[in-house]
């Protein structure tokens, strides 16, 4: 079994593109925020971007556990946080209660190009599923 494909999204339009391509290919992927976006864009921004999104969505909080914890409490699918072991442990305990996930490292993610995003994403997802 191979790992899920991850795609970086920064807007609701990006999420819509990813969903359309994924559905047309009958494949699966996960969406992730840009690196550290939880710190500078915030939880509310991410919730608005992924509202109604059926895909697993991960908010990248950089090294700021103080941004990851509210995301988990708000019911996010998951957060990405590069934090010391004690903070990782506390966040994973919180995730067990909230049903979320905590990733200690950012997965490799496909960045949508500014032009031809749908075609480039389709090629990436086809290659990723083997």
């Amino acid at each position: 079994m191979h790992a899920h494909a991850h795609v970086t999204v920064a807007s609701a339009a990006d999420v819509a593109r990813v969903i359309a391509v994924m559905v047309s290919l009958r494949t699966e992927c996960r969406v992730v925020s840009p690196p550290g976006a939880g710190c500078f864009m915030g939880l509310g921004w991410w919730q608005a971007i992924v509202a109604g999104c059926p895909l697993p969505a991960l908010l990248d909080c950089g090294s700021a556990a103080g941004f990851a914890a509210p995301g988990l409490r708000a019911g996010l699918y998951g957060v990405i946080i590069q934090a010391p072991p004690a903070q990782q442990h506390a966040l994973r305990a919180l995730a067990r209660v909230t049903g979320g996930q905590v990733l200690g490292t950012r997965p490799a993610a496909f960045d949508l190009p500014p032009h031809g995003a749908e075609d480039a994403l389709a090629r990436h997802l086809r290659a990723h599923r083997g």
Side-chain angles (χ1 to χ4, degrees):
M1 186 165 124
H2 62 279
H4 293 279
H6 291 82
V7 181
T8 303
V9 296
S11 68
D14 287 349
V15 172
R17 282 185 197 95
V18 172
I19 291 169
V21 172
M22 184 202 69
V23 168
S24 74
L25 295 176
R26 296 185 185 144
T27 190
E28 295 181 9
C29 67
R30 296 177 178 181
V31 294
V32 297
S33 73
C39 300
F40 60 86
M41 295 300 289
L43 174 60
W45 166 81
W46 185 243
Q47 289 174 310
I49 296 296
V50 299
C53 176
L55 306 174
L58 298 158
L59 176 61
D60 189 327
C61 296
S63 60
F67 290 100
L72 291 170
R73 284 193 298 273
L76 292 184
Y77 170 83
V79 295
I80 302 165
I81 177 77
Q82 296 85 40
Q87 289 179 336
Q88 287 282 343
H89 178 74
L91 289 168
R92 285 193 171 92
L94 177 59
R96 282 191 295 277
V97 172
T98 64
Q101 285 191 350
V102 176
L103 300 182
T105 58
R106 182 178 175 83
F110 179 77
D111 292 328
L112 296 171
H115 304 289
E118 291 86 354
D119 291 338
L121 178 58
R123 284 191 301 276
H124 174 75
L125 292 177
R126 281 188 197 105
H128 192 274
R129 70 178 177 190

